Amino acid sequence: MNDFDYIYVVIFLTIFTFVILLAIILFVTYYQRKQIQQKVDIQNLKNEMQRQLLESALEVQEVERVRIAKDLHDEVGAMLSVTKMSLNQLLRKLDDAEDLSAQGLHTRELLEQSIGQVRRISKELVPSTLDEFGLMCAIDEFIQKVHFASETFFVFSHEGIDSNQRFDRKIELAIYRIVQELVNNALKHAEAKEITLKLATEVNKIIFIFTDDGKGFNIESVRKNPKSGLGMRNIESRLSVINGKFDIKSVIRQGTHTIIEIPI
Amino acid sequence: MLLRIFTNIADFIILLPVILIYINRQYLTKELKILSIYVLLMFIRNIISVIYNFLYMKYQYYVNTVFYYNLYNIIGFYLIAYLYILLLKDGFLKKVIYGLMIIFTFFSFLDIFNGTLNIDTSEFNKYSFAISGILIPILAFTHLYKILQGLQTENILTYPYFWISASFLLYFSCTFYMYLFVNNSINNKSANPLNMWQIDTIFSIIFALMLSFVFNFSKNLETLKSNKIE
């Protein structure tokens, strides 16, 4: 082998070595990319599984609410009504005994109150208005009831959305339950005097804005507290099922402002 | 002078994986134990080379070491083939490797009849060098492909089995062509092949360093095993 051949061999070997090294480097790069992709896929799979679990849990919850509402209305309510009728008959026979009659009237009032409460609980458990007339009517009915009971002032507007407009049942139910949760928080914890609810649609999404003039709260400390953060987590889980997101801002002694976006 | 320095480094660099084998001996899996035997074989080969080199330098006592290289090449192939039987864990591929071992044995016999077992031989193995030079990179490629399919480890650069195949792929692919040239020039007595050994020493140094990574990261296999159990 002369020097000329030797140079060619060296050049060939150098190129060949670089090719092998390049192949190894490419292998490592491709492996790391595949590894990252696998991680993303696994995470997506986990998220999807979690979402489905949550969705089925919420469905089970709704089914259970329907069952309880039905039992209350059909069985306890009916039983109370029969008891009331029986009491009415008894009262007619006790016309002469004044004391007994007064006691009977008082018992009837209590019974009437119980019947009313059973109806209210039954209706609250399953918002029949939501299924029959849609989200706007259901929210309207709900805030009217709360207004009469608490004297809190409500402003509800739905720009660009017809009163009878319907959305996907999951979305309607989620918004309705979130409204219940937010109103409940505003009254119970924030002692709000005025609550504003605004529903609007943008391109492919529903925007819901909830504002109250209550005491406000520290979002971080509420999030960290497992007891007080339950409502917020409930809202988050309901929104995660329908791929919604929410942003909450609260200022102490000034109130709370919540914006929810749900894709449609 | 430069050649001497490189040759000495190439002979002694094998101490690095040997030391790492000793340090990490409790983490050695069956596969790494087989590789350790291979490294020790290289170590013995280098010691013999250094001793004969010393005898030549000091007393002008010349012994041809080609016999040891030929023997190392044959035993080394069987060790590597068995290592890949363990690494690939695939019924079909195991059968293929056994088949390759039989083919290799056949060619080794041809070499033995041509003087492999003659201690004074000055000829490199004609067939077994070439066969191992072709088969080992194929096995390494197959193993790397299996690693890519499995995606078992988060950081491939700290996975010892990756370094095994990467080092075999680089060393055996590159030295294969070189051995062909060396063999050709020696067997035909056409020219002095010493120049080619300079290249071999460079690859030997890289090979030993890459094998050091294998044993350096050997304890990661424990973590990987425990993660799998979890």
Side-chain angles (χ1 to χ4, degrees):
Chain A
M1 193 184 293
N2 57 38
D3 284 350
F4 187 71
D5 291 338
Y6 176 71
I7 287 165
Y8 273 112
V9 171
V10 169
I11 290 169
F12 173 77
L13 266 171
T14 312
I15 293 168
F16 188 75
T17 310
F18 273 110
V19 169
I20 297 285
L21 279 173
L22 192 72
I24 293 170
I25 291 165
L26 281 174
F27 172 85
V28 172
T29 317
Y30 185 64
Y31 183 94
Q32 303 291 49
R33 268 178 58 189
K34 250 188 120 177
Q35 183 77 31
I36 291 165
Q37 187 56 47
Q38 194 193 40
K39 267 188 188 173
V40 171
D41 289 347
I42 290 170
Q43 193 54 48
N44 286 345
L45 214 67
K46 273 184 187 169
N47 289 346
E48 180 56 23
M49 213 173 92
Q50 209 168 12
R51 198 192 66 77
Q52 280 179 2
L53 272 172
L54 203 65
E55 194 177 337
S56 54
L58 287 173
E59 267 175 28
V60 167
Q61 200 183 64
E62 286 303 325
V63 168
E64 193 61 10
R65 277 169 186 263
V66 170
R67 193 189 63 77
I68 295 167
K70 202 169 172 290
D71 285 356
L72 271 176
H73 184 266
D74 297 353
E75 290 172 29
V76 182
M79 204 63 197
L80 283 170
S81 296
V82 170
T83 313
K84 190 183 155 191
M85 282 194 293
S86 169
L87 188 69
N88 280 340
Q89 281 181 347
L90 189 70
L91 282 173
R92 274 197 289 275
K93 287 176 187 171
L94 288 171
D95 275 349
D96 300 336
E98 268 187 28
D99 286 349
L100 280 171
S101 176
Q103 184 66 37
L105 284 169
H106 179 66
T107 311
R108 192 173 69 184
E109 269 174 35
L110 287 174
L111 257 175
E112 276 169 357
Q113 276 179 23
S114 302
I115 292 166
Q117 277 178 359
V118 166
R119 279 191 188 137
R120 183 185 57 76
I121 294 166
S122 169
K123 199 149 182 145
E124 271 177 17
L125 277 168
V126 182
S128 56
T129 315
L130 184 72
D131 286 333
E132 288 165 25
F133 303 103
L135 184 63
M136 264 51 73
C137 290
I139 294 176
D140 214 33
E141 188 191 66
F142 172 69
I143 59 176
Q144 271 181 36
K145 270 186 202 167
V146 179
H147 170 67
F148 285 126
S150 65
E151 292 181 350
T152 307
F153 184 67
F154 282 90
V155 178
F156 176 45
S157 63
H158 38 92
E159 286 170 19
I161 306 173
D162 192 68
S163 295
N164 302 319
Q165 191 171 332
R166 302 304 302 257
F167 299 100
D168 185 86
R169 196 188 176 273
K170 275 184 206 166
I171 293 175
E172 285 189 337
L173 192 65
I175 295 176
Y176 184 78
R177 294 289 181 217
I178 290 167
V179 167
Q180 280 184 318
E181 187 72 51
L182 289 170
V183 169
N184 186 40
N185 286 347
L187 298 179
K188 202 171 154 189
H189 306 296
E191 294 164 15
K193 295 279 173 267
E194 188 176 319
I195 293 170
T196 308
L197 302 99
K198 191 178 168 186
L199 260 174
T201 49
E202 267 185 25
V203 188
N204 298 328
K205 64 181 175 186
I206 299 174
I207 296 171
F208 173 63
I209 302 167
F210 182 95
T211 313
D212 72 56
D213 64 345
K215 292 193 290 189
F217 64 100
N218 186 313
I219 295 167
E220 281 312 305
S221 60
V222 167
R223 265 189 204 280
K224 282 174 192 164
N225 189 332
K227 278 185 183 172
S228 57
L230 199 68
M232 244 154 83
R233 276 195 294 279
N234 199 12
I235 294 171
E236 276 172 353
S237 13
R238 282 197 181 273
L239 284 171
S240 70
V241 172
I242 51 172
N243 298 318
K245 49 184 181 178
F246 93 119
D247 180 46
I248 187 161
K249 286 186 179 74
S250 190
V251 181
I252 305 288
R253 286 190 293 275
Q254 283 185 34
T256 305
H257 183 76
T258 310
I259 300 176
I260 289 167
E261 283 185 18
I262 299 160
I264 45 175
Chain B
M1 185 63 187
L2 195 67
L3 173 66
R4 190 163 297 271
I5 291 167
F6 267 124
T7 313
N8 286 334
I9 293 171
D11 283 335
F12 287 105
I13 196 93
I14 198 68
L15 273 169
L16 191 61
V18 171
I19 290 165
L20 285 165
I21 287 169
Y22 180 75
I23 292 170
N24 297 303
R25 61 190 180 283
Q26 75 262 39
Y27 303 113
L28 298 183
T29 57
K30 199 176 175 186
E31 291 85 349
L32 293 187
K33 278 175 187 163
I34 300 293
L35 187 71
S36 306
I37 297 169
Y38 179 75
V39 171
L40 289 174
L41 197 71
M42 281 169 71
F43 179 64
I44 293 163
R45 181 200 69 180
N46 288 7
I47 284 177
I48 291 168
S49 177
V50 168
I51 290 167
Y52 282 142
N53 196 33
F54 173 76
L55 289 174
Y56 177 70
M57 300 298 288
K58 190 87 177 169
Y59 307 107
Q60 299 297 306
Y61 177 74
Y62 178 76
V63 175
N64 200 332
T65 55
V66 172
F67 166 77
Y68 301 102
Y69 272 84
N70 287 340
L71 215 60
Y72 151 79
N73 170 249
I74 292 170
I75 300 167
F77 178 82
Y78 286 116
L79 284 172
I80 293 167
Y82 183 58
L83 171 67
Y84 277 106
I85 285 173
L86 296 176
L87 283 175
L88 289 168
K89 294 185 182 85
D90 183 302
F92 173 72
L93 287 171
K94 272 183 189 177
K95 283 175 190 165
V96 171
I97 298 171
Y98 281 125
L100 296 177
M101 283 166 94
I102 291 165
I103 294 167
F104 182 80
T105 309
F106 171 74
F107 283 103
S108 300
F109 268 112
L110 290 179
D111 280 331
I112 286 167
F113 289 124
N114 284 330
T116 300
L117 293 179
N118 175 13
I119 200 157
D120 295 323
T121 186
S122 60
E123 287 189 13
F124 278 96
N125 283 346
K126 260 185 191 166
Y127 305 108
S128 42
F129 265 122
I131 298 286
S132 62
I134 294 167
L135 295 182
I136 293 168
I138 292 171
L139 291 174
F141 254 125
T142 314
H143 181 234
L144 286 174
Y145 177 70
K146 283 268 170 190
I147 291 176
L148 198 62
Q149 276 188 323
L151 293 173
Q152 280 185 337
T153 177
E154 209 162 297
N155 186 0
I156 187 77
L157 294 173
T158 58
Y159 185 50
Y161 294 162
F162 158 74
W163 285 107
I164 293 178
S165 286
S167 59
F168 282 152
L169 182 67
L170 186 73
Y171 181 73
F172 282 95
S173 319
C174 296
T175 51
F176 165 66
Y177 293 102
M178 203 194 62
Y179 278 124
L180 283 186
F181 287 116
V182 172
N183 216 16
N184 186 50
S185 55
I186 287 183
N187 295 345
N188 294 328
K189 307 201 168 32
S190 57
N192 185 356
L194 273 178
N195 285 337
M196 299 308 295
W197 289 111
Q198 293 172 35
I199 302 167
D200 181 72
T201 51
I202 294 167
F203 284 124
S204 296
I205 293 166
I206 297 169
F207 185 44
L209 286 173
M210 286 171 97
L211 287 176
S212 305
F213 286 132
V214 176
F215 297 106
N216 186 45
F217 296 127
S218 57
K219 63 180 80 166
N220 289 357
L221 289 170
E222 286 280 313
T223 325
L224 205 68
K225 205 173 163 186
S226 57
N227 283 349
K228 258 188 180 178
I229 293 163
E230 279 169 22

